[in-house]
Amino acid sequence: MTEAPRLERPVTLQFRGDWGQANMHRICGWIAQEMGDRAPLGSRFAIWSGTGGRDQIEALRAGECDITVVTPAAAVRMLHRAGELDGLSALGVIGQRDRLVVAVDAALPVNSVSELAAIADRLVVATSPDDGVNLVGFAAHKALHLAGVDPDGLTFAYSERPFPAISRFASGEANVLVHEALMTPPWQRIDRARPVRYLPWGDEVLRAFAAEGWSDAVVEAGYLPGLQEDLRTLEFSDFVVLCRDGLPEDVAHLAVWCMVQTRRALEAQYAHLPVDRTPVTYPIVPADMARTPLPLHPGAARAYAELASANVLDEPLMWG
């Protein structure tokens, strides 16, 4: 471990995570505690609740927080290309392997998302709202529209978080599910009420998203109950740690040093899970942290350069 930098003055830093019990709050708590251990007495650290969507960006712009987390990285790339992240920088990426998947009651006479248009009056779709904040809802409604399925002709059962939506589908309250968090146990139970089919978005939808910076990805056969062949769908991976361009350079530098050099403290919280079923990827490879969908803050870039010179970035921590 390289020698730890320290802040020379007390700071007050506000973070913005998730609703309180999920991965973004854990990430914020980890960084805050490690920075606090290397800051003078009188420093204060707080974590606000958020959703991981556009609300995080608005909070940064409004000065309501200093560091926040947004997922997925594909959405951050799309928003950056659209100019929505001007004035913001990245501190790094915390890996997570996830996808946005469409599951339907297997009794429905459909094999692709576009075919849902012909039976729209029979559908109840469990997903998140397209409310200008939630990025699941944004992607789901945009993709449905691109597939030729008019969202205005559908009945939706909305929830902000994934688990209520998955529960509605699993119980039969909804017969279509569009959501993420594939690695979690609720996805492994969605076929208990009836057989399930997974629908591809289709090449036209994936190409349209890719043109805006949002890539596709594969869910391998067998990863979900009843998934008999590989499924190409929309990427929904990775947590991007964001800040304003004006975050003091020494603060950004220390944040990145802590993210790299104390990463075992975060990894340990997920070590009881199989590596293909964990909501935070481990072991964390520091070089991957620096591959962000928007430019790094100068203090972060300096920290990664120093750590690369010390041969730290390409060496995951050992697990035994």
Side-chain angles (χ1 to χ4, degrees), residues 255-276:
V256 168
W257 189 95
C258 291
M259 288 165 58
V260 171
Q261 295 287 55
T262 73
R263 60 195 185 275
R264 182 65 176 86
L266 180 67
E267 292 177 351
Q269 299 178 51
Y270 298 91
H272 62 291
L273 299 168
V275 293
D276 65 338

Side-chain angles (χ1 to χ4, degrees), residues 150-164:
D150 182 4
D152 291 338
L154 298 172
T155 299
F156 287 96
Y158 286 137
S159 57
E160 189 174 78
R161 300 194 298 274
F163 297 151

Side-chain angles (χ1 to χ4, degrees), residues 170 185-193 225:
W187 271 98
Q188 297 301 313
R189 299 192 291 263
I190 63 170
D191 64 338
R192 292 188 179 179

Side-chain angles (χ1 to χ4, degrees), residues 1 34 267:
M1 181 177 289
E34 296 296 343
E267 292 177 351

Side-chain angles (χ1 to χ4, degrees), residues 3 20-21 65 80 86 120 129 138 144 158 219-220 233 236 242 248 260 278 297:
E3 185 176 353
Q21 298 185 57
C65 66
H80 175 53
D86 292 350
F138 163 74
L144 286 168
Y158 286 137
V219 183
E220 292 81 4
T233 188
F236 216 87
L242 297 177
V260 171
T278 174
H297 185 286

Side-chain angles (χ1 to χ4, degrees), residues 89-92 249 252-253 256 290 295-308 313:
S89 300
L91 295 175
E249 185 166 332
H253 181 275
V256 168
L296 286 165
H297 185 286
R302 179 166 63 88
Y304 285 116
E306 292 171 356
L307 292 164
L313 293 193

Side-chain angles (χ1 to χ4, degrees), residues 217-250:
V218 171
V219 183
E220 292 81 4
Y223 190 81
L224 294 171
L227 181 61
Q228 298 179 356
E229 58 185 29
D230 290 354
L231 176 72
R232 280 186 69 220
T233 188
L234 286 169
E235 180 72 86
F236 216 87
S237 297
D238 298 339
F239 302 102
V240 185
V241 185
L242 297 177
C243 64
R244 289 187 302 281
D245 291 349
L247 185 72
E249 185 166 332
D250 59 340

Side-chain angles (χ1 to χ4, degrees), residues 14-22 24-25 28 46-53 55-56 59 64-65 68-69 160:
Q14 299 192 76
F15 294 74
R16 188 175 172 99
D18 51 54
W19 306 273
Q21 298 185 57
M24 296 177 206
H25 245 61
C28 289
I47 303 174
W48 290 92
S49 293
T51 74
D55 57 317
Q56 317 286 66
E64 295 173 357
C65 66
T68 191
V69 184
E160 189 174 78

